[in-house]
Amino acid sequence: MTLSPVERAKQEAAKLAVIENVHDEMIVGIGSGSTIVYAVKEIAAMVEKNDWNIVCIPTSYQAEALIINNHLPLGSLDQHPHVDVTIDGVDEITLDLTAIKGGGGCLVQEKIVADNSIKLVIIGDWKKVSMTLGESWKKGVPIEIIAKAQIPLTQRLKEMGGKVKLREGKAKIGPLITDNGNFILDVNFGKIIDPKKLSTKLKSMIGVVDSGLFVNMVDKAYIGQEDGTVKILS
Ligand code: 5RP
C-alpha cells in the first residue's frame, strides 16, 4: 500500500528514531498516538531479528495494546522506575524542543513515563514543527483536570485569556474520560510566548493534574520531511 507523504514522513522518522535510540537490554517507554505505531512495529522487527531482551513501558491503554499485539514484553514503572529511552509522538514542537502533547488524551501518563526516562525522543512529521507553540496546533493546550474542578477552572482559564473547550468523547455522549478517570480541557491561548511560565502557572492551579506543555523534557526530535528525509532536532 502506498503511504501518503505525511504517513511516509511519520514512518521514516519513527524508523530512524528506533534504529538510533533503541538497543538490547533497554527499558523503553512507548508513547501514544498514530506515529508511535510505526515505531513499535520497528522495535518488534528489531527484537525479533536480533533476539533482543527489552521491556516496554506503556503510556496509555493504547500503548499497552500495541506492545501486547506486537509480542513485545510489557512492563510497568512499578517494576522498572528507571526508563532508558521513551519514544513518543507530538502535536507541535518548536526548534528549542518545547512541545505540546495530549492530542490523543494521554498527556499525564506520557509525562510521567518521560519524566522517569533518561532520554525522551519525539517523532513526527514536518507539519508539527513551528516557530512558536500555538501557531500550528490550533486545538489548544490539553489540560487534564479533576472532573469536580471543571467549572471553576474553566472560569479561571478564561480569565487568563484562554478559549476553553471541554473535550468530548467520540462514540460517547458527554465528556471524554481519560485513562486516569479525569476530564480534559483544551485551552487555546493563541501563540504561547513563554511556555515555561504558562506550564508552571497551569501546574499550580488546584484541580489541574497536568498540562500537555512539555518544557525542558524533550532530548531529540526526529522530524520526517515531505521528501522522505528525516531532520533531527537536538
Ligand atoms: C497523545 C499524544 C500523541 O503523541 C500526539 O497527539 C501525537 O499523535 P499522532 O502521532 O497521532 O499525531 O500526545 O496524547
Side-chain angles (χ1 to χ4, degrees), residues 10 32-36 88-91 101-107 110 128:
K10 286 158 66 170
S32 309
S34 58
T35 316
I36 194 66
D88 203 347
V90 74
D91 297 304
K101 289 184 46 53
C106 310
L107 55 139
E110 288 173 339
K128 306 282 180 76

Side-chain angles (χ1 to χ4, degrees), residues 159-177:
E159 284 162 12
M160 286 167 61
K163 284 192 194 113
V164 187
K165 208 168 164 223
L166 175 69
R167 197 178 296 185
E168 305 234 329
K170 275 216 173 115
K172 167 191 177 290
I173 296 164
L176 171 135
I177 308 295

Side-chain angles (χ1 to χ4, degrees), residues 3 22 26-27 31 48 52 72 76 88 100 106 111 119 123 128 144 155 170 194 224:
L3 293 178
V22 181
M26 271 190 165
I27 308 296
E48 194 179 332
W52 279 355
L72 289 165
S76 71
D88 203 347
I100 295 178
C106 310
K111 217 179 225 187
K119 206 154 77 166
I123 49 179
K128 306 282 180 76
E144 184 157 334
Q155 208 167 310
K170 275 216 173 115
D194 191 342

Side-chain angles (χ1 to χ4, degrees), residues 99-226:
I100 295 178
K101 289 184 46 53
C106 310
L107 55 139
V108 169
Q109 288 191 43
E110 288 173 339
K111 217 179 225 187
I112 293 169
V113 175
D115 191 51
N116 290 289
S117 302
I118 295 170
K119 206 154 77 166
L120 173 59
V121 173
I122 287 295
I123 49 179
D125 63 84
W126 74 96
K127 292 187 174 182
K128 306 282 180 76
V129 181
S130 73
M131 297 307 285
T132 311
L133 289 184
E135 219 170 71
S136 70
W137 179 254
K138 303 281 189 201
K139 293 184 183 170
V141 177
I143 305 174
E144 184 157 334
I145 64 157
I146 301 295
K148 291 286 177 205
Q150 183 205 340
I151 301 301
L153 276 176
T154 298
Q155 208 167 310
R156 287 183 61 197
L157 290 160
K158 280 185 181 167
E159 284 162 12
M160 286 167 61
K163 284 192 194 113
V164 187
K165 208 168 164 223
L166 175 69
R167 197 178 296 185
E168 305 234 329
K170 275 216 173 115
K172 167 191 177 290
I173 296 164
L176 171 135
I177 308 295
T178 69
D179 289 358
N180 315 304
N182 299 315
F183 286 5
I184 288 184
L185 298 176
D186 289 299
V187 187
N188 190 335
F189 293 100
K191 282 192 191 177
I192 302 168
I193 306 303
D194 191 342
K196 186 172 183 193
K197 193 170 162 197
L198 180 60
S199 164
T200 307
K201 169 78 189 157
L202 294 174
K203 186 80 185 152
S204 76
M205 294 167 78
I206 305 302
V208 167
V209 179
D210 215 326
S211 83
L213 284 171
F214 279 52
V215 181
N216 294 332
M217 294 191 82
V218 179
D219 295 286
K220 235 176 178 185
Y222 288 72
I223 307 296
Q225 305 296 304
E226 208 168 357

Side-chain angles (χ1 to χ4, degrees), residues 15-54:
K15 271 189 178 178
L16 190 60
V18 169
I19 290 168
E20 291 195 355
N21 296 283
V22 181
H23 310 293
D24 194 13
E25 300 292 339
M26 271 190 165
I27 308 296
V28 183
I30 302 294
S32 309
S34 58
T35 316
I36 194 66
V37 175
Y38 294 115
V40 171
K41 287 194 190 317
E42 185 65 21
I43 294 171
M46 286 173 70
V47 165
E48 194 179 332
K49 185 173 160 209
N50 303 306
D51 199 20
W52 279 355
N53 177 31
I54 67 164

